[in-house]
Amino acid sequence: MTRKRVAILISGRGSNMAALIEAARAPDYPAEIVGVLSNKAAAPGLGTAAAHGIATASLAQSRFPTRELFEDAMTRVLESWETDYVCLAGFMRILGADFVNRWMGRMINIHPSLLPAYRGLDTHRRALADGVAEHGCTVHFVTPGLDEGPAILQARVPVLPGDTPETLAARVLVEEHRIYPEALRLLATGQARL
């Protein structure tokens, strides 16, 4: 089995990145994590990746005059790693259409809501404010529209009496760490396609 080469984009601690790295340690997993790229040099996840022997890079968008030049530099890093697929794991930047189209069908994201509900930020607070009975997370293909790409997998959690955004987020995160490696497995084996 030839394992697919996967790069992960992060901005912070990268807990979903860590879940993907852990899954890829299994000899029968169809993907290997070849690089982690952050838009923040101080992202704790870079240290986690390096400790696993994974190549890392950071690019600060502020050092580039335009988003296009920043994303061109990201593409050069990803291509230097011979990346087959890109996973977004808490990458807190909206990507431009050219970059998204370059990786169309080969870039996925984990989002903390049951899309199409609660695109964007503050999903747990918004779900609680609406009084929903269920919340969860979605792994989806990245398309130019914010959190609009087709879903690959979703996981649901009940909203409990007394939940806060933090307690709800913690339960959703457990499910994120479960379904993201499974979604990447489906992508890498060709079972999930855009």
Side-chain angles (χ1 to χ4, degrees), residues 117-182:
Y118 309 114
R119 293 183 176 121
L121 301 174
D122 283 331
T123 60
H124 310 303
R125 182 188 55 74
R126 290 159 56 203
L128 289 171
D130 286 350
V132 297
E134 277 190 319
H135 190 47
C137 52
T138 306
V139 181
H140 65 96
F141 284 102
V142 178
T143 57
L146 180 65
D147 299 327
E148 283 181 359
I152 300 169
L153 286 176
Q154 288 189 318
R156 298 172 181 276
V157 301
V159 176
L160 303 177
D163 256 337
T164 65
E166 295 73 25
T167 59
L168 186 54
R171 280 204 313 288
V172 170
L173 192 62
V174 170
E175 294 303 309
E176 290 179 35
H177 294 168
R178 183 179 66 79
I179 70 168
Y180 209 177
E182 177 60 16

Side-chain angles (χ1 to χ4, degrees), residues 12-152:
R13 65 192 160 101
S15 73
N16 274 301
M17 171 206 73
L20 294 173
I21 290 171
E22 186 58 36
R25 292 175 62 180
D28 61 343
Y29 194 75
E32 62 176 321
I33 310 305
V34 298
V36 174
L37 173 60
S38 178
N39 63 323
K40 296 185 185 307
L46 291 173
T48 303
H52 283 89
I54 296 167
T56 61
S58 65
L59 293 170
Q61 187 167 341
S62 60
R63 297 185 52 205
F64 295 86
T66 66
R67 179 167 76 182
E68 290 72 27
L69 288 170
F70 169 66
E71 292 177 353
D72 287 348
M74 287 198 332
T75 294
R76 285 193 295 279
V77 172
L78 296 173
E79 288 176 344
S80 76
W81 293 332
E82 299 176 8
T83 301
D84 296 312
Y85 295 107
V86 176
C87 290
L88 306 183
F91 187 70
M92 303 307 286
R93 279 265 164 244
I94 294 175
L95 296 165
D98 287 349
F99 185 85
V100 170
N101 288 327
R102 162 83 177 71
W103 295 97
M104 187 67 73
R106 299 188 299 139
M107 184 162 53
I108 61 176
N109 182 44
I110 181 97
H111 183 74
S113 80
L114 295 170
L115 290 173
Y118 309 114
R119 293 183 176 121
L121 301 174
D122 283 331
T123 60
H124 310 303
R125 182 188 55 74
R126 290 159 56 203
L128 289 171
D130 286 350
V132 297
E134 277 190 319
H135 190 47
C137 52
T138 306
V139 181
H140 65 96
F141 284 102
V142 178
T143 57
L146 180 65
D147 299 327
E148 283 181 359
I152 300 169

